[in-house]
Amino acid sequence: DAKTTQPPSMDCAEGRAANLPCNHSTISGNEYVYWYRQIHSQGPQYIIHGLKNNETNEMASLIITEDRKSSTLILPHATLRDTAVYYCIVRVGPKSNFGNEKLTFGTGTRLTIIP
Amino acid sequence: GAVVSQHPSRVICKSGTSVKIECRSLDFQATTMFWYRQFPKQSLMLMATSNEGSKATYEQGVEKDKFLINHASLTLSTLTVTSAHPEDSSFYICSALFDGQETQYFGPGTRLLVL
């Protein structure tokens, strides 16, 4: 799976949009971009994933550049409960190869929402 | 609501004893379950992948005789830490991949402290 690079930490004011960048310059054509977050002392929580089109759900939006070498997770109106470590993970497409469903976690971005 | 549960949430044991951690998928059949370990201030590290009815696949460096995994049904996987030692103290997290789904869902984690 391709490696990802994320800033170690970010701050964002409560109520503002939080934009979390991720570089994945070695991503290959069949690899998806997944985002998870981990609130302190809890298991990771799935946020969103995408292949090449921008995606939006009730939690966030995912913007993937046209060359797919980077992406941005957007939390539109950050709240204090969004304080967490956010992980950007690249992996092969779902069900493309048996045994490749595993996720490899990097160090992520520690997002702190400031009141 | 939560789709994956873990029990216990926290356990303290004496060195040399064995500890069993349960991971249950709620309302869905999990074709594959994963076990991760997370040390303080570090990221999640995959320990093993288990498929219902077959032997688990362990990551390099993880002792299969020490970390016994049983995936006896489509809704339950167990991790047994045998002869636990203080260095096994960690946060153990499971995840489940549900049939027909593209996303892993994580349990809340089990914090193990070995005295």
Side-chain angles (χ1 to χ4, degrees), chain A residues 2-7 20-24 27 32-37 47-48 62-64 69-73 85-91 103-109, chain B residues 43:
Chain A
K3 183 179 171 58
T4 63
T5 303
Q6 299 177 253
L20 292 93
C22 179
N23 285 323
H24 31 79
I27 193 171
Y32 285 65
V33 180
Y34 281 77
W35 283 85
Y36 283 79
R37 72 180 182 184
I47 301 173
I48 200 167
L62 174 61
I63 309 298
I64 302 174
K69 293 185 177 181
S70 66
S71 60
T72 302
L73 178 75
V85 178
Y86 287 75
Y87 296 99
C88 169
I89 301 168
V90 170
R91 51 151 279 196
L103 298 171
T104 302
F105 285 80
T107 52
T109 296
Chain B
S43 190

Side-chain angles (χ1 to χ4, degrees), chain B residues 55-88:
Chain B
K55 290 185 178 180
T57 302
Y58 289 81
E59 295 298 301
Q60 192 172 10
V62 178
E63 300 176 55
K64 61 180 174 58
D65 294 330
K66 180 169 180 65
F67 299 99
L68 302 178
I69 291 172
N70 185 283
H71 192 162
S73 77
L74 287 171
T75 59
L76 174 64
S77 176
T78 60
L79 169 68
T80 301
V81 184
T82 62
S83 186
H85 289 93
E87 57 266 30
D88 297 322

Side-chain angles (χ1 to χ4, degrees), chain A residues 33-80:
Chain A
V33 180
Y34 281 77
W35 283 85
Y36 283 79
R37 72 180 182 184
Q38 185 177 27
I39 295 170
H40 184 62
S41 294
Q42 297 183 25
Q45 177 188 22
Y46 165 78
I47 301 173
I48 200 167
H49 75 280
L51 181 62
K52 53 183 178 181
N53 296 324
N54 297 337
E55 303 286 345
T56 296
N57 62 19
E58 65 278 5
M59 289 183 68
S61 294
L62 174 61
I63 309 298
I64 302 174
T65 57
E66 193 168 342
D67 63 7
R68 302 208 323 123
K69 293 185 177 181
S70 66
S71 60
T72 302
L73 178 75
I74 302 172
L75 308 179
H77 304 287
T79 71
L80 298 178

Side-chain angles (χ1 to χ4, degrees), chain B:
Chain B
V3 295
V4 179
S5 68
Q6 283 184 240
H7 178 80
S9 58
R10 181 184 294 266
V11 57
I12 301 173
C13 70
K14 292 182 179 180
S15 184
T17 61
S18 293
V19 176
K20 180 185 284 189
I21 302 170
E22 293 185 349
C23 177
R24 291 184 184 273
S25 62
L26 309 173
D27 300 326
F28 296 93
Q29 294 184 334
T31 52
T32 306
M33 286 185 170
F34 304 84
W35 286 96
Y36 295 81
R37 179 169 54 181
Q38 186 175 33
F39 292 107
K41 298 188 179 182
Q42 294 186 24
S43 190
L44 283 79
M45 296 296 294
L46 179 67
M47 299 176 67
T49 302
S50 75
N51 292 285
E52 185 264 340
S54 62
K55 290 185 178 180
T57 302
Y58 289 81
E59 295 298 301
Q60 192 172 10
V62 178
E63 300 176 55
K64 61 180 174 58
D65 294 330
K66 180 169 180 65
F67 299 99
L68 302 178
I69 291 172
N70 185 283
H71 192 162
S73 77
L74 287 171
T75 59
L76 174 64
S77 176
T78 60
L79 169 68
T80 301
V81 184
T82 62
S83 186
H85 289 93
E87 57 266 30
D88 297 322
S89 298
S90 189
F91 191 46
Y92 291 86
I93 309 167
C94 72
S95 70
L97 186 64
F98 302 115
D99 191 30
Q101 297 290 317
E102 301 177 341
T103 305
Q104 284 185 37
Y105 292 92
F106 286 80
T110 296
R111 191 161 299 282
L112 170 64
L113 177 61
V114 184
L115 301 177

